[in-house]
Amino acid sequence: GAVTVVFDIPPVVDAEVAISTPPGEMSLRLPASVIIAANTRSQSFEIIALDSVGEFRVFVRWNEVVTEILVTVVEEQPSLLINEVNADMDGVEDREYVEIYNPGRLPVDLAGWRLELINGADRRAYKTVALDAAGLVGPNAYLVVGDETARPENGLVPFLAWPSRGDNHDLQNGPDGLVLYHGEDRVDSMSYAGRIPGVTEGDQSAPDDVNNDAGESISRCPNGEDTNQNADDYRLASSTIGRENACPD
């Protein structure tokens, strides 16, 4: 979060204000100092929590004047997004996948998380994939769920292979949808190629995944951003399994 240092009286020359934490405190990232320009009264700086929650002390010093700030860091609510979907392709459909993204600053423990694939005709789940076995999704990182042939090549991105028929339509072509749950809480959902009441976010769905060999997928654009409007949040873009989406200009 942002903190603003304010002087009662503007300095006549630039004033360097030192920023520090107690010795050995490594839970916060902050600048060593900020400059309050001559004839101004304030300057802001950012405090970024790393991997701990609790209360932490920050000291602001100018000459002999020292002010102590108490910073409270609370646990971030885990949030994951359905980031990319490859549901249709030319020929044998054996490279279908769903990419899930963690936009947060902390890892998300996948215990109790599941992905449901929704049939647009009856709004029921035709496949449920428990995500527990993937362990964690790191901050600003990805999880891929899908056909074995969709496993990310670098081996660094967590991957879960779903039970597959090995040839066609493990992920239906649409209009169908996806819902991401944490326990009984619905965290994210989307539909493609048509609106599904109770699944589509907003009035219109994401676009259809074209049945061709262009190597495109339904991609969240900009990558990892969510307005809760499927039609605004997704575009057709080149497939980028386990990487930042290649959003068109």
Side-chain angles (χ1 to χ4, degrees), residues 127-158:
K127 187 190 298 286
T128 298
V129 183
L131 305 182
D132 308 56
L136 297 172
V137 181
N140 303 122
Y142 303 87
L143 164 68
V144 177
V145 183
D147 293 329
E148 181 61 41
T149 53
R151 183 184 293 271
E153 295 178 357
N154 62 18
L156 301 177
V157 176

Side-chain angles (χ1 to χ4, degrees), residues 19 25 38 43 46 59 69 72 83 86 142 151 192 222 241:
I19 314 295
E25 177 55 70
Q43 180 62 51
E46 287 287 328
F59 302 112
I69 302 170
T72 301
N83 203 55
N86 195 15
Y142 303 87
R151 183 184 293 271
Y192 51 93
I241 305 175

Side-chain angles (χ1 to χ4, degrees), residues 11 30 39 46 112 153 165 177 182 239:
L30 39 74
N39 301 313
E46 287 287 328
E153 295 178 357
R165 290 174 286 186
H182 183 207
S239 177

